[in-house]
Amino acid sequence: MMSIDQDQLPPNKESSCPDDKGDSIAVGEISSSFTAATQFDKGDTVNKGQDQGTSENHGLKSNDKDTPDPVAAEESTSSSSEALDKPNDSTNMKRQLDSPTNEDNPSKRSKPQGETPEPAPKPAPETPSVIMNGSSAVSKPEAAASADSPSEQMDVEERSKSAPTSADEANPSPPPSEQSDAMDVDETKSSSSDDEDNDAGAAANAQSDDDLDFTFDLIDPALAGVMKLEDMIIPKVEPLDRLTFRDLAELEAALQIGDHYNYGEDDGWKGDWAGNLDLFRKEVVVNKNYLNTQTSAKPIRIDYCDWVASNARNKNDLRGLELLFRYVYHMKGTPSMAKKILAYALQRPAQSSEERLDIIIKAATRMNYDPIVLKQDGWTIQKTDNPEGPLGGAIYIGRRVMWQKHEAVVVAYIPDETYGGLWKGVFLEDLDTFDMEPGELQMGLKKLENKTRQKPTRSNAQSGSTRFAATAKFTVPGIENGIILAKPTNRASKGIMWPARVRNVVEGKLTADGKVRRNSSKNQIHVIFLAPFWNAQDASVSKMSNATDPYSVGPLFEYDTIEVSEYNIQEYTHNSISIEQLETGFKFLGLPKGVFARYLDSHRLAVSLKAYSLKHMSKNRDSEDQLLASASLTESHILSVKAPIFPDVVLMLPFDYILSKLTHPSELAASSLGNDEDTQEPVIDIDAIVHSLSPPECFGKTSQEPRNSCLTPEALPSSPDPNFTPAKSAKRALQLASEENGDTDAVWSINRFASDFLVGLFQRESVDDYSVEGVGQLGTLITNLVAKLRQTCSAYPGYGMHKKVIELKKMLCQCLLIKGHGEDCIEYSSIPHGVSKVTIITEWRKACERIYKRAVSKLSFTGVGNGVTSVITDSRCNGHITQLGSFERPVRLPAAIKGAKRAGAGRDPNVLLLTEVEDNYYNMAENVVIPKAHKKTYIKRLKTKIQSIPPDQKGVPLTDDSDGEGGDDTMGSRGSYAAAVVGIGASLKAVDMVVTGKCVNVFCAIRPPGHHAGLELRPMQAVSNGFCLFNAAACAAIYATTPLSQGGLGLRRVCVIDFDVHHGNGTQDILCSTYDPRYLYVSVHAGGAHINGFEDEGSEDESFRHLLGGRKTEGIFPGRCGDTSPHKGVLNIPLGQKVTASAMGSALVSQVTPRVEEFSPDLIILSAGFDAHENDPLGMGGLSAADFGSVTEVACQMAHKTCSGRILSVLEGGYGIPCCRPRNDLFLPTTSEERLLDLGEDLPSNMDDEVHYTLRQKLDKCHEEGFLECVQSHVQSFVKCNIRK
């Protein structure tokens, strides 16, 4: 048995319980806190009816012991008396007691009435007195019954003063008189305890099969089967012992409740037995001692039952839960059947602590739905034929409801003064319970009715699990390789998705003692987290590592069990180690910079294990149905069946030593070339390491046998295609960069642009089994293109500036046209078996983009080409004037320009500020592009509406329909039409500048926004147009993909990425209402089906809508359209009620980046909305300005990897601009404390900024950081990423 670490105890104390000075048990840091009782004198720990042997077993009775030993009971009474005679040195542990009944002063109670023993028939003292018990002062109702008269209290105090101090005198036999007094002191508690225990035991054991049969008669037969009433017969059990003072103090210290932890009226205890029973799920802090020494550390919390189980050493070592059960057992009001279940859970035979814990948890769950318990607790469990009152009452018992997306059944009803009535529901799958108010019950009934109407009822043969049906077939791509991103259960991880290895079902589950047992949960998987950072604060393991990094001192691997859901598990998409990409993704996690080394190590391990599995491990070839059958037979999840079984030699490799020899992240960052080819760190070759452990390598000799491996040190192929060629290595890229300054034939060789694989296809002259028809002609095209570029570069210095711009545009456009033509040729060519068409197309695109980058690099000059960022705006956008109180204020544009200037626009010669949109772009927008994006009826309606507005009027609804609805949030003035058209013209100009090489990236500072404007009014059933008139992002994409013959640029693919807090329903409606291979629309936004509700076929319910920035009903604007992705041309990623940095970063890295790289666009357009900022008045985001900069960097990295960095952004939302003009309020005088945002010359003199007082208060916090800083960070990231190499 484990003993207490005496160094952790307060001085001169015998217990691990807290005292009033603040010394407390270090929960989680003293693993034997619940075995403390065995270290004290028998009198401190003995319970009624227990001898010393049962005390050592923590009060768990053996089943063959049906009655208490009377001798032990007599010794128990004497020992309890001796416990009160023990001395106490700490006067700070004294507590004031109430009167014996505590009835006159209920505010003094520290426990519910159920824990108060019946008072002895003795007069209450006039003044409160103090009782000391061991080293813990107890101010509880029990103590009031232990010393009922002043004379007895004086006897206790006198005995405390004259208590022995030597070891020989520690437990002398007291004189007969003192024995009598001691017996009197404990007699009240013992007698009342005996009476109540006996009554409770008799009542519990009297609950026979007759009651169960009676319950069967009351419960519907179908419900009885669901609730498994036939398994509810419990044998005779012994009553549980009442807690002693020491037990009670020990339980409070472990649960971190009571007067010591709560100084208000609420001491943590609940007023009912069920509420106190539920404390086994309470979170406790497990690193309190560490927090006392490290003020900057954060508390680590864990469920109480999990913590007790983690410290258990044997099947009876769950003292913390036993104490809680005993406490609930003796509460007044605890049903007798509940007492029987509690006792049986502690006395039922168990083979291990895990089995005992499982029994206890099942018992706690059962008491929530057991019909006898419910009946005894006042619930009605019998269905009535007629409604009871206006709410219906028990008539709903037996009805099924939809609750939290799962089917449940109503099993009981109870009247309630507050709500009128409550109904208890039980999930059909796992018998978890919940209570419903009248409105919630009706909603649950309606949701089930809607679901039944949508889908036909399954036959009995197909019926099965309902609660886990949604996750039974859940899987993630790449699970066959064993690596995923998972959310740890450890709260210190902050809920961050982290690389993990999935354990196969045959590997089983690790127990606390390191043993393995088979998994028994079909909705859970067991994983090993790789290089976790959150275990660094565990002092017990920090000594195992020699790492100097404070976040790397913990174990390199951590076992965990996680629930299977899309919120806890994601695909692991990395195939190689890109330091730049990992650094950008790390910024979203909100972790200290020191964690990055651990973050890098986790991905190094993940990629190496994934590479080993991909190449050297056989895959499971069973069908999906066979895998599901295997999962069902093993009672596990299909992910555990699909996961590979890594060899023991691989898992036992000294990874800690291997990682310590790799380059530190700071050195990698310093040596990074920043190459567009995405220079990558070599992947750890696990197979080579394993081979080196066997002869002849282990003898220092080289094997002559070639190893079956195509894995290159530079990268891991995205597919097992043997013809895939990786990107150039860092060494090769550096060599090429140093040679490009010359004009030799080697510099302009086609091998500098095309991979060896592609060149090999070009050079095949004979038509054989391995040739690709038509590829030889592409070799001629690319050779001629390179030759023309070389010729242009030679003559370029003699051209004038205008001539240079024209030649640059011609060269780049020709490059992109040949790229598209080559894709068509390959797509329609006959590809022989064994050659991947996807690989050929990928290599062709890379070759053309390398030529494009060489052209930009060679033909650029100051202010044009490589290294140039532009900001485009136009003062005509200020003509759009909204109403007072609108979030979309005119000052948004001056604030955006101010932010861009802070990033260098207009000051840096390579950061251009263009303040005018030429007429040709305006006319093109109005006459050519806008009619392609919006229906003519919508354009005509909007134009007519705006033209009818008087010149001096503003804030007029623009998008209301014939019924006058839909225009509440989208208002404007006479200049709104010109402002919207010029915004479209700015986006067209930006596309021209980026594609033709005048700059690398462009930010369009325009308004009004546009991503909610669709083909026609209020697209995709939105309630309004959300401040938007014409869609700039969609128009830019249409212009870019329009053929040259029709006035466009002829690009093949354009990707639109929308990071506004709202879904861009208008953009999706215009570009992707049906699948179009030219477009990929990606939206990362707030929302989700659990917020907006589920779409019902044929339903006309519009209750799940609300206006953008206006009145709310339920859900997030524009509604359900962004909750799902209708086809592969759309990737909608709803992030919940609020957009957080970690969720945004995880979505960008794990979902957006792979999809965009697979799509391989020729241009990326950003719908840049900044309303997900933490200070935005909409209150739907949690991002900082730096986070928006990181989002922009990730997008730029995708652009550099797929389309030579071609990217532009258009301004959408973002409303966190402080007031710019003084208040002009007749009723609220202007005060000297009013803060205004100074926009300087960027704020037109004739621009007003009228804001309601309530909105002003919300905007005040934007002085610290808001919309302006977001735009600044966005443009700064563009400038940072505007170099093509």
Side-chain angles (χ1 to χ4, degrees):
M1 183 172 292
M2 201 170 177
S3 62
I4 278 190
D5 185 0
Q6 298 297 328
D7 295 337
Q8 302 288 343
L9 294 175
N12 299 325
K13 303 292 187 297
E14 295 179 339
S15 171
S16 59
C17 304
D19 61 15
D20 284 345
K21 287 183 177 181
D23 297 329
S24 63
I25 181 173
V27 182
E29 296 164 349
I30 306 177
S31 62
S32 58
S33 61
F34 288 122
T35 61
T38 62
Q39 304 300 318
F40 302 114
D41 185 79
K42 183 175 67 175
D44 287 334
T45 61
V46 70
N47 293 326
K48 184 67 181 173
Q50 286 183 264
D51 56 12
Q52 182 67 22
T54 56
S55 176
E56 290 181 357
N57 285 328
H58 308 290
L60 296 176
K61 301 179 183 296
S62 61
N63 292 326
D64 59 349
K65 185 176 179 181
D66 296 332
T67 58
D69 187 352
V71 177
E74 181 178 354
E75 291 179 357
S76 172
T77 307
S78 176
S79 299
S80 299
S81 176
E82 292 174 7
L84 293 175
D85 295 340
K86 286 190 175 291
N88 196 318
D89 298 330
S90 174
T91 59
N92 292 310
M93 301 183 69
K94 296 181 178 181
R95 298 189 182 184
Q96 304 260 329
L97 294 178
D98 307 42
S99 61
T101 61
N102 278 334
E103 295 293 339
D104 297 352
N105 191 4
S107 64
K108 289 288 186 179
R109 296 175 185 158
S110 298
K111 296 286 185 298
Q113 295 180 2
E115 189 59 40
T116 307
E118 297 180 7
K122 296 182 180 181
E126 292 291 337
T127 58
S129 57
V130 177
I131 294 292
M132 300 298 297
N133 180 23
S135 63
S136 59
V138 182
S139 174
K140 303 299 166 199
E142 295 91 341
S146 299
D148 299 289
S149 66
S151 61
E152 289 175 340
Q153 294 166 7
M154 292 178 62
D155 290 340
V156 174
E157 293 179 354
E158 289 295 326
R159 287 194 296 273
S160 298
K161 294 178 181 178
S162 60
T165 58
S166 65
D168 296 336
E169 298 174 342
N171 294 302
S173 299
S177 60
E178 292 185 10
Q179 275 190 349
S180 176
D181 292 341
M183 292 293 290
D184 289 341
V185 172
D186 195 51
E187 188 177 20
T188 304
K189 177 178 71 70
S190 298
S191 60
S192 63
S193 176
D194 284 340
D195 295 341
E196 188 167 343
D197 283 351
N198 293 335
D199 293 343
N205 288 320
Q207 192 69 43
S208 63
D209 296 346
D210 296 337
D211 294 325
L212 191 59
D213 293 338
F214 176 67
T215 303
F216 267 110
D217 295 337
L218 297 181
I219 296 295
D220 182 87
L223 298 185
V226 171
M227 301 168 68
K228 302 178 182 178
L229 296 183
E230 67 277 3
D231 298 333
M232 290 186 173
I233 300 176
I234 296 178
K236 182 179 180 181
V237 293
E238 298 180 9
L240 298 182
D241 297 306
R242 181 181 295 277
L243 299 185
T244 64
F245 300 131
R246 185 177 304 278
D247 293 336
L248 194 57
E250 184 180 350
L251 178 60
E252 282 192 333
L255 283 171
Q256 299 175 2
I257 60 176
D259 297 339
H260 184 78
Y261 287 89
N262 301 272
Y263 298 100
E265 295 182 359
D266 182 12
D267 61 359
W269 290 105
K270 309 301 179 183
D272 62 297
W273 69 271
N276 284 324
L277 179 64
D278 201 47
L279 289 175
F280 83 95
R281 295 188 178 95
K282 180 183 181 294
E283 291 183 346
V284 294
V285 180
V286 299
N287 61 337
K288 291 183 65 64
N289 282 356
Y290 185 81
L291 295 175
N292 293 334
T293 58
Q294 302 291 333
T295 57
S296 61
K298 295 185 178 180
I300 300 176
R301 304 179 186 275
I302 188 174
D303 287 350
Y304 177 69
C305 62
D306 293 338
W307 176 77
V308 174
S310 66
N311 290 324
R313 297 303 181 90
N314 56 62
K315 63 181 179 181
N316 293 329
D317 201 9
L318 296 172
R319 178 172 171 81
L321 295 176
E322 176 221 340
L323 292 178
L324 180 61
F325 271 34
R326 286 165 52 193
Y327 176 81
V328 175
Y329 184 95
H330 288 284
M331 285 188 65
K332 287 184 178 178
T334 302
S336 58
M337 186 60 181
K339 293 183 177 182
K340 188 174 182 180
I341 297 173
L342 289 169
Y344 185 57
L346 298 180
Q347 298 169 18
R348 182 178 176 180
Q351 300 299 321
S352 64
S353 60
E354 290 83 5
E355 185 177 353
R356 173 70 65 195
L357 178 64
D358 187 55
I359 292 173
I360 289 175
I361 292 177
K362 287 182 178 179
T365 303
R366 170 175 170 173
M367 279 180 281
N368 291 323
Y369 68 83
D370 187 288
I372 301 177
V373 175
L374 292 175
K375 185 175 182 299
Q376 294 174 351
D377 204 29
W379 291 81
T380 299
I381 61 174
Q382 186 175 13
K383 177 182 175 64
T384 59
D385 296 331
N386 299 314
E388 299 177 355
L391 298 179
I395 195 174
Y396 291 108
I397 294 178
R399 292 284 300 274
R400 297 204 176 191
V401 296
M402 182 66 66
W403 189 259
Q404 296 178 353
K405 298 186 288 185
H406 304 290
E407 283 193 42
V409 62
V410 179
V411 297
Y413 163 76
I414 190 171
D416 183 83
E417 295 181 358
T418 303
Y419 304 106
L422 292 174
W423 289 264
K424 185 172 292 291
V426 177
F427 286 114
L428 298 180
E429 177 65 25
D430 57 1
L431 302 181
D432 277 353
T433 61
F434 56 92
D435 294 343
M436 293 176 290
E437 301 171 10
E440 295 171 333
L441 172 67
Q442 296 303 321
M443 181 177 293
L445 293 169
K446 181 179 178 182
K447 287 183 177 179
L448 182 65
E449 181 182 354
N450 292 339
K451 179 183 177 182
T452 306
R453 186 171 65 244
Q454 288 182 39
K455 298 180 180 180
T457 305
R458 294 182 177 183
S459 63
N460 294 333
Q462 295 177 327
S463 62
S465 171
T466 57
R467 194 175 183 197
F468 296 142
T471 58
K473 298 182 179 181
F474 176 84
T475 187
V476 291
I479 183 61
E480 297 80 7
N481 301 319
I483 305 299
I484 61 172
L485 287 175
K487 185 178 295 184
T489 58
N490 193 319
R491 293 185 177 274
S493 66
K494 302 181 180 180
I496 292 173
M497 305 296 285
W498 200 262
R501 179 182 74 85
V502 180
R503 291 170 61 87
N504 189 277
V505 63
V506 301
E507 297 181 76
K509 176 181 179 181
L510 293 177
T511 60
D513 55 359
K515 297 180 180 180
V516 176
R517 69 180 178 91
R518 183 65 60 86
N519 178 27
S520 60
S521 175
K522 56 186 176 182
N523 200 46
Q524 292 179 335
I525 61 173
H526 305 303
V527 300
I528 303 295
F529 283 103
L530 310 177
F533 71 91
W534 54 87
N535 56 10
Q537 294 183 348
D538 191 345
S540 62
V541 298
S542 61
K543 299 177 182 178
M544 299 171 56
S545 175
N546 296 323
T548 57
D549 181 3
Y551 295 98
S552 302
V553 296
L556 195 60
F557 304 100
E558 179 171 291
Y559 172 84
D560 203 348
T561 300
I562 58 176
E563 295 287 335
V564 175
S565 73
E566 59 181 327
Y567 304 105
N568 295 332
I569 300 174
Q570 293 180 4
E571 177 188 4
Y572 185 78
T573 58
H574 294 277
N575 291 322
S576 58
I577 299 296
S578 169
I579 304 300
E580 184 180 13
Q581 186 176 5
L582 288 179
E583 283 180 337
T584 305
F586 180 78
K587 294 178 182 178
F588 292 103
L589 302 182
L591 297 175
K593 293 182 179 179
V595 180
F596 180 72
R598 197 72 162 177
Y599 180 73
L600 176 60
D601 284 346
S602 69
H603 285 280
R604 284 168 166 169
L605 291 171
V607 170
S608 62
L609 290 171
K610 183 177 179 180
Y612 180 85
S613 174
L614 193 70
K615 178 58 184 175
H616 302 286
M617 296 180 64
S618 60
K619 300 299 182 292
N620 194 326
R621 303 299 181 185
D622 292 341
S623 65
E624 193 76 9
D625 292 338
Q626 291 174 321
L627 293 173
L628 286 171
S630 299
S632 177
L633 289 173
T634 56
E635 294 186 349
S636 60
H637 195 272
I638 190 173
L639 292 177
S640 298
V641 178
K642 286 185 174 183
I645 306 175
F646 285 88
D648 290 341
V649 64
V650 172
L651 301 180
M652 298 302 292
L653 288 176
F655 288 105
D656 208 340
Y657 175 81
I658 296 172
L659 293 174
S660 67
K661 298 300 179 182
L662 298 182
T663 309
H664 192 271
S666 61
E667 300 175 12
L668 287 170
S671 61
S672 176
L673 295 174
N675 197 286
D676 287 351
E677 296 290 349
D678 194 16
T679 304
Q680 299 153 350
E681 179 186 272
V683 176
I684 300 173
D685 193 341
I686 294 179
D687 184 63
I689 298 174
V690 172
H691 273 75
S692 68
L693 303 177
S694 304
E697 285 88 347
C698 66
F699 299 126
K701 299 179 181 179
T702 303
S703 174
Q704 300 299 323
E705 256 180 56
R707 291 193 298 113
N708 182 21
S709 175
C710 68
L711 184 63
T712 63
E714 289 81 9
L716 177 67
S718 57
S719 65
D721 177 32
N723 293 320
F724 183 89
T725 56
K728 294 181 174 63
S729 65
K731 182 177 180 181
R732 180 61 175 161
L734 182 62
Q735 178 184 357
L736 293 177
S738 63
E739 292 178 354
E740 280 185 359
N741 294 327
D743 192 27
T744 62
D745 292 340
V747 172
W748 295 101
S749 171
I750 190 176
N751 299 77
R752 293 304 182 97
F753 306 99
S755 64
D756 294 340
F757 167 71
L758 195 59
V759 171
L761 294 178
F762 291 160
Q763 294 176 347
R764 292 185 184 274
E765 297 179 358
S766 61
V767 179
D768 53 29
D769 292 340
Y770 297 98
S771 64
V772 181
E773 179 184 352
V775 174
Q777 299 177 0
L778 298 183
T780 302
L781 283 176
I782 200 170
T783 302
N784 294 337
L785 185 62
V786 172
K788 181 177 181 180
L789 175 58
R790 182 178 184 181
Q791 180 182 1
T792 302
C793 291
S794 300
Y796 203 67
Y799 295 156
M801 183 176 296
H802 181 67
K803 177 71 171 177
K804 287 182 178 180
V805 172
I806 294 177
E807 290 297 323
L808 176 62
K809 178 179 179 179
K810 289 170 57 177
M811 188 69 231
L812 298 182
C813 289
Q814 187 173 0
C815 181
L816 294 178
L817 288 175
I818 291 178
K819 174 186 175 183
H821 175 69
E823 292 179 20
D824 290 340
C825 291
I826 298 171
E827 187 65 37
Y828 295 102
S829 296
S830 298
I831 306 299
H833 180 73
V835 179
S836 171
K837 180 184 294 186
V838 174
T839 302
I840 299 175
I841 293 178
T842 300
E843 292 302 315
W844 171 256
R845 290 171 179 170
K846 288 183 178 181
C848 294
E849 291 296 343
R850 289 175 187 136
I851 298 174
Y852 183 97
K853 285 180 284 188
R854 174 72 70 87
V856 172
S857 176
K858 290 291 185 179
L859 304 180
S860 297
F861 53 93
T862 304
V864 175
N866 200 22
V868 178
T869 295
S870 297
V871 177
I872 302 177
T873 187
D874 195 296
S875 60
R876 283 174 285 183
C877 291
N878 292 326
H880 176 63
I881 305 175
T882 56
Q883 67 170 349
L884 173 65
S886 174
F887 287 96
E888 212 288 301
R889 296 147 55 205
V891 296
R892 294 180 66 243
L893 189 59
I897 296 173
K898 183 75 171 181
K901 286 183 176 180
R902 287 186 180 181
R907 296 183 291 106
D908 189 323
N910 286 327
V911 185
L912 308 180
L913 178 60
L914 309 177
T915 59
E916 184 180 1
V917 175
E918 291 80 1
D919 291 342
N920 62 312
Y921 288 111
Y922 185 96
N923 295 330
M924 184 191 302
E926 183 178 23
N927 301 321
V928 179
V929 181
I930 292 179
K932 293 182 178 180
H934 303 279
K935 289 187 176 181
K936 294 182 179 180
T937 54
Y938 170 77
I939 299 172
K940 181 179 179 180
R941 180 187 186 87
L942 186 62
K943 187 174 183 179
T944 303
K945 182 78 174 180
I946 293 175
Q947 288 177 346
S948 65
I949 300 176
D952 59 343
Q953 192 172 356
K954 58 185 179 181
V956 178
L958 302 180
T959 58
D960 54 337
D961 56 20
S962 57
D963 296 328
E965 298 179 356
D968 293 352
D969 59 2
T970 309
M971 300 190 177
S973 60
R974 187 69 174 269
S976 295
Y977 180 81
V981 174
V982 80
I984 304 300
S987 68
L988 305 185
K989 181 177 180 179
V991 173
D992 256 350
M993 295 184 68
V994 169
V995 174
T996 60
K998 292 182 180 179
C999 57
V1000 177
N1001 43 47
V1002 176
F1003 169 62
C1004 298
I1006 57 176
R1007 58 177 295 271
H1011 72 144
H1012 294 308
L1015 288 169
E1016 53 188 347
L1017 193 66
R1018 288 153 38 191
M1020 304 186 75
Q1021 299 183 350
V1023 72
S1024 73
N1025 260 41
F1027 306 149
C1028 300
L1029 300 182
F1030 294 138
N1031 196 315
C1035 288
I1038 291 173
Y1039 171 64
T1041 55
T1042 299
L1044 283 172
S1045 59
Q1046 299 178 19
L1049 295 178
L1051 301 186
R1052 295 304 177 99
R1053 293 169 304 281
V1054 173
C1055 174
V1056 179
I1057 302 177
D1058 190 335
F1059 57 82
D1060 189 277
V1061 78
H1062 300 97
H1063 173 248
N1065 57 315
T1067 307
Q1068 179 176 326
D1069 183 48
I1070 294 172
L1071 300 179
C1072 303
S1073 56
T1074 58
Y1075 175 64
D1076 189 332
R1078 297 176 299 171
Y1079 305 116
L1080 171 64
Y1081 175 69
V1082 178
S1083 179
V1084 186
H1085 54 271
H1090 59 293
I1091 297 173
N1092 295 321
F1094 297 90
E1095 187 70 50
D1096 297 334
E1097 293 182 7
S1099 173
E1100 298 181 357
D1101 182 14
E1102 298 185 356
S1103 61
F1104 295 101
R1105 303 181 184 179
H1106 78 89
L1107 298 180
L1108 179 59
R1111 61 180 183 272
K1112 281 190 177 181
T1113 54
E1114 185 177 356
I1116 295 176
F1117 183 88
R1120 301 166 176 155
C1121 52
D1123 296 340
T1124 58
S1125 302
H1127 50 74
K1128 65 180 181 178
V1130 175
L1131 177 60
N1132 286 325
I1133 308 176
L1135 301 180
Q1137 189 70 45
K1138 197 168 187 177
V1139 176
T1140 62
S1142 59
M1144 174 69 78
S1146 177
L1148 288 175
V1149 173
S1150 63
Q1151 299 183 65
V1152 178
T1153 298
R1155 179 68 72 87
V1156 173
E1157 291 180 358
E1158 178 187 9
F1159 182 69
S1160 188
D1162 295 323
L1163 174 68
I1164 294 179
I1165 300 172
L1166 301 179
S1167 280
F1170 303 105
D1171 40 3
H1173 189 266
E1174 56 189 349
N1175 292 336
D1176 193 271
L1178 292 182
M1180 298 169 59
L1183 305 185
S1184 65
D1187 291 331
F1188 282 106
S1190 299
V1191 171
T1192 308
E1193 286 187 33
V1194 173
C1196 289
Q1197 289 175 8
M1198 289 186 277
H1200 278 289
K1201 193 170 183 180
T1202 59
C1203 55
S1204 302
R1206 295 185 295 273
I1207 187 171
L1208 64 94
S1209 65
V1210 294
L1211 179 62
E1212 300 289 359
Y1215 313 102
I1217 304 103
C1219 298
C1220 303
R1221 298 292 190 193
R1223 281 192 285 124
N1224 184 20
D1225 198 301
L1226 298 177
F1227 303 99
L1228 296 175
T1230 303
T1231 63
S1232 58
E1233 299 179 357
E1234 184 177 15
R1235 297 180 62 185
L1236 300 176
L1237 177 63
D1238 184 13
L1239 295 179
E1241 61 181 9
D1242 296 313
L1243 181 64
S1245 58
N1246 61 344
M1247 181 176 289
D1248 295 329
D1249 188 25
E1250 299 180 19
V1251 181
H1252 283 304
Y1253 180 73
T1254 54
L1255 181 56
R1256 281 177 177 265
Q1257 291 179 314
K1258 292 182 179 180
L1259 297 175
D1260 281 343
K1261 57 185 178 182
C1262 297
H1263 283 286
E1264 303 300 326
E1265 184 178 275
F1267 173 81
L1268 191 150
E1269 288 75 19
C1270 293
V1271 173
Q1272 177 184 352
S1273 181
H1274 177 66
V1275 177
Q1276 284 176 340
S1277 296
F1278 266 175
V1279 175
K1280 179 181 178 181
C1281 302
N1282 66 8
I1283 302 295
R1284 296 188 179 103
K1285 293 185 180 180

